[in-house]
Amino acid sequence: METVDSLIIGAGVIGLAIGAELSKQQNVIVIEQNAHFGEHTSSRNSEVIHAGIYYPKSSLKAKLCVSGKKRLYAHCSSFHVPFHKIGKLIIATNNDDAEKLETIKQHANDNCVNDLSWLSTTEIKRYAPEINAVAALFSPSTGIIDSHQYMLSLITQLEQNNGAYVARTRFINAKKCSNGFIVTLDCDGEIMQLNCRNLINAAGLFAQQVAQTIEGLSASYIPALYYCRGQYFSYQGSHTFKHLIYPVPEEHGLGIHATLDLMGQLKFGPDTEFIDSLNYQTDEHQKAKFVTAIKRYWPKLNTNKLHIDYAGIRPKLQLKGQQDFVIQSHRDHGIQGLINLFGIESPGLTASLAIAEYVCCQLGE
Ligand SMILES: Cc1cc2nc3c(=O)[nH]c(=O)nc-3n(C[C@H](O)[C@H](O)[C@H](O)COP(=O)(O)OP(=O)(O)OC[C@H]3O[C@@H](n4cnc5c(N)ncnc54)[C@H](O)[C@@H]3O)c2cc1C
């Protein structure tokens, strides 16, 4: 039976970032059930490098987003991953929202994001000529990234360190043994077993399903999972957007905001809608809701040029309120060598390198 130090389940940004980091010290395999890496949440997001403004103080999201952002910019420069520190405006379209901006700035400071600045009316017009805003904050450390190239760079790093990425390989179950786990895998139809000392469950929207098949893990450590779809509409026309535009956040997300990709394509979203099953089908009928939300800050929107694009799904652990990343080690569930990552929603892409370092520390304890 083949033996590895660490087996990582899932080749999204999280599994790949952990693989790249752990492979500096260990023999690592990252497995992916699909034919290609990153086909789920890691390729169905806004590709924004978040500053770390909104998350509750001292939460894992706040800490890992702020440190992950710095690492991610450095990684992009070292590995030639396309990115642009484009900056974002957080805008208030009315006086109630303007008051919320004050709180947001204070909160950002609490999270060690000290670079937000107020824009004057003249600056708002210069930064975002057609945007309707009574007040705005500018976040200079917010950026955009090519997430596909980022994942490729992590695979390169993993393989340079003699780690392996194996696609079409599905984790079936794990049993405890004297030196770790005996894991059963379905490798493109062939069932095989492997011995690993550490087992890292980075299966994203499947993390709960994977956890249920790990022998000895009590069900009480497996949180509920709710699928929360976020859809995007793209704008097929010329525009004057130079920075990302975010209205003040709402309960389950950051509101229907405007982002740009590295080609300058303008898109709006994601919205938030709880759905019953893992289904990426889009719903054109949501267009009216998008138009209303966008026109609040961009009255000149030409609705004929707004088209449904794609959807991603957030792995929510609860139906209401803020949730944090849940990263469990033996100190939580008592199983040496097992790490479970649950609810890795936004800012998981931004935080991925910091999450990887955090997981390596947990394994070392
Ligand atoms: C709508 C939306 C917008 C977002 N926008 C941003 C953003 O702008 N900035 C940001 O920082 N974050 C953003 N995020 C969050 C970010 O995309 C996620 O945190 C991140 O992609 C999660 O990566 P992951 O590796 O945990 O999950 P995934 O990318 O889903 O990867 C998990 C992988 O595990 C594999 N897998 C599952 N089960 C098995 C099994 N049994 N065997 C083998 N493989 C298995 C899956 O096939 C999958 O490839 C957004 C998320 C959403 C939903």
Side-chain angles (χ1 to χ4, degrees):
M1 191 186 303
E2 195 183 339
T3 299
V4 288
D5 292 326
S6 292
L7 180 78
I8 301 170
I9 306 160
V13 284
I14 302 302
L16 291 173
I18 297 169
E21 183 65 29
L22 257 187
S23 62
K24 291 176 187 166
Q25 321 144 15
Q26 296 188 355
N27 179 353
V28 173
I29 298 182
V30 181
I31 57 163
E32 170 53 50
Q33 62 184 355
N34 292 335
H36 302 284
F37 58 86
E39 286 187 340
H40 284 280
T41 315
S42 297
S43 58
R44 297 175 164 276
N45 57 57
S46 305
E47 296 190 299
V48 172
I49 301 177
H50 287 298
I53 298 168
Y54 311 105
Y55 315 109
K57 191 180 169 190
S58 306
S59 62
L60 276 181
K61 279 187 179 176
K63 287 191 274 197
L64 298 175
C65 182
V66 172
S67 66
K69 169 185 67 175
K70 291 190 193 119
R71 279 161 206 271
L72 189 52
Y73 280 126
H75 176 96
C76 288
S77 298
S78 301
F79 286 85
H80 308 290
V81 177
F83 74 100
H84 187 183
K85 219 185 238 191
I86 188 174
K88 84 167 170 182
L89 276 75
I90 312 167
I91 54 156
T93 55
N94 56 50
N95 290 338
D96 281 353
D97 282 353
E99 275 175 33
K100 291 184 192 152
L101 287 184
E102 294 279 359
T103 316
I104 288 172
K105 187 161 190 310
Q106 182 53 51
H107 197 90
N109 282 338
D110 293 346
N111 286 354
C112 300
V113 181
N114 301 311
D115 57 359
L116 298 194
S117 60
W118 290 105
L119 296 184
S120 66
T121 316
T122 319
E123 283 170 326
I124 294 174
K125 281 285 158 257
R126 185 152 51 82
Y127 280 59
E130 296 177 349
I131 294 301
N132 165 32
V134 297
L137 287 168
F138 185 66
S139 164
S141 70
T142 303
I144 50 177
I145 180 173
D146 180 333
S147 53
H148 185 80
Q149 290 300 324
Y150 172 48
M151 287 188 274
L152 269 178
S153 76
L154 293 170
I155 292 176
T156 302
Q157 204 181 352
L158 170 74
E159 292 178 344
Q160 278 172 352
N161 296 336
N162 297 318
Y165 155 63
V166 191
R168 292 198 174 89
T169 299
R170 192 166 59 84
F171 170 88
I172 299 178
N173 62 40
K175 297 191 188 324
K176 272 302 285 170
C177 64
S178 56
N179 60 345
F181 304 87
I182 303 290
V183 170
T184 305
L185 305 175
D186 178 342
C187 306
D188 213 4
E190 199 181 318
I191 302 300
M192 65 165 278
Q193 288 194 320
L194 186 135
N195 174 216
C196 59
R197 187 158 48 83
N198 300 317
L199 180 63
I200 293 137
N201 172 6
L205 291 159
F206 303 83
Q208 278 82 345
Q209 194 180 310
V210 161
Q212 279 157 12
T213 64
I214 299 171
E215 188 186 61
L217 180 68
S218 159
S220 62
Y221 293 106
I222 307 175
L225 171 66
Y226 305 96
Y227 301 120
C228 183
R229 186 178 64 185
Q231 297 201 108
Y232 296 85
F233 278 75
S234 60
Y235 191 72
Q236 306 299 335
S238 58
H239 61 80
T240 56
F241 287 66
K242 293 177 280 190
H243 306 283
L244 311 183
I245 306 288
Y246 282 57
V248 294
E250 50 188 43
E251 193 192 1
H252 276 296
L254 294 177
I256 294 179
H257 47 266
T259 55
L260 296 161
D261 67 16
L262 289 157
M263 307 297 285
Q265 171 66 57
L266 176 63
K267 58 182 190 259
F268 294 92
D271 63 350
T272 49
E273 189 185 352
F274 283 95
I275 53 174
D276 293 333
S277 60
L278 210 174
N279 176 358
Y280 293 113
Q281 204 164 349
T282 51
D283 177 8
E284 181 93 47
H285 296 107
Q286 301 299 320
K287 183 168 173 177
K289 179 180 79 182
F290 272 73
V291 168
T292 307
I294 299 164
K295 280 200 164 175
R296 255 182 235 132
Y297 55 88
W298 189 32
K300 283 193 179 161
L301 167 74
N302 178 342
T303 55
N304 295 327
K305 294 185 175 171
L306 193 66
H307 299 286
I308 187 82
D309 199 339
Y310 64 97
I313 298 179
R314 304 169 183 90
K316 287 283 179 194
L317 307 180
Q318 56 201 47
L319 288 166
K320 279 197 165 85
Q322 289 256 18
Q323 74 179 43
D324 202 1
F325 295 151
V326 173
I327 306 177
Q328 295 170 347
S329 70
H330 67 280
R331 280 151 51 126
D332 305 294
H333 49 57
I335 303 179
Q336 194 69 37
L338 174 65
I339 303 279
N340 284 312
L341 296 110
F342 296 114
I344 311 296
E345 55 168 4
S346 193
L349 171 62
T350 310
S352 50
L353 295 175
I355 291 176
E357 198 195 29
Y358 182 87
V359 166
C360 292
C361 288
Q362 301 273 305
L363 286 174
E365 281 175 4

